[in-house]
Amino acid sequence: QVQLVESGGGSVQPGGSLRLSCAASGDTRRSMCVGWFRQAPGKERERLVSVYLTGGRTYIADSVKARFAIALDPAKNMWSLHMTRLRPEDTGMYYCAAEPQIGERCYSGSWYPSAAGYWGQGTQVTVSS
């Protein structure tokens, strides 16, 4: 089992920046795909960014490309989402996620954690003036 604990989030004005962090504990020995998802009010949860914790090719959604970036600290089993130039449409619940050994789905195609994956508890991000 793996437990994910998120930190960060909050309220910010449009154009501002925030950082979210996720720490994994438990059985993290396996090659782990990690990432961030967002669920806006009334919408489905969408993948924003994902990569293997040890690095490599990265998936990033068009909606956040050039504004959001993922930072990895595999020695600490942690990863962060650095968000810049935030917009009101970035408002939502942000979830970190992880799933072991999913091959290329981590950085191509579609990845939505299966029953073998893990979710953080979620943290609210509100972008408003």
Side-chain angles (χ1 to χ4, degrees), residues 37-40 43-47 93 95 112 119-120:
F37 289 70
R38 174 176 69 198
Q39 188 162 19
K43 295 187 178 181
E44 294 185 353
R45 197 173 298 186
E46 62 171 332
R47 179 174 54 150
M93 285 293 289
Y95 298 88
Y112 194 89
W119 291 99

Side-chain angles (χ1 to χ4, degrees), residues 37-117:
F37 289 70
R38 174 176 69 198
Q39 188 162 19
K43 295 187 178 181
E44 294 185 353
R45 197 173 298 186
E46 62 171 332
R47 179 174 54 150
L48 300 177
V49 60
S50 57
V51 63
Y52 275 98
L53 186 55
T54 49
R57 292 178 63 183
T58 303
Y59 168 88
I60 187 160
D62 288 341
S63 59
V64 301
K65 197 167 290 183
R67 300 188 300 121
F68 291 13
I70 190 169
L72 307 173
D73 190 345
K76 296 181 179 179
N77 290 318
M78 294 182 66
W79 57 101
S80 300
L81 183 66
H82 294 250
M83 304 182 290
T84 64
R85 290 184 284 155
L86 283 160
R87 304 167 180 168
E89 54 264 39
D90 293 318
T91 294
M93 285 293 289
Y94 284 68
Y95 298 88
C96 65
E99 187 165 4
Q101 299 170 331
I102 63 169
E104 294 184 356
R105 287 193 296 122
C106 186
Y107 48 83
S108 64
S110 63
W111 170 49
Y112 194 89
S114 69

Side-chain angles (χ1 to χ4, degrees), residues 5-40:
V5 177
E6 298 180 33
S7 59
S11 296
V12 65
Q13 292 186 342
S17 301
L18 280 175
R19 186 179 73 177
L20 309 180
S21 294
C22 188
S25 61
D27 185 7
T28 58
R29 293 171 296 173
R30 295 164 293 174
S31 180
M32 197 72 71
C33 177
V34 300
W36 292 91
F37 289 70
R38 174 176 69 198
Q39 188 162 19

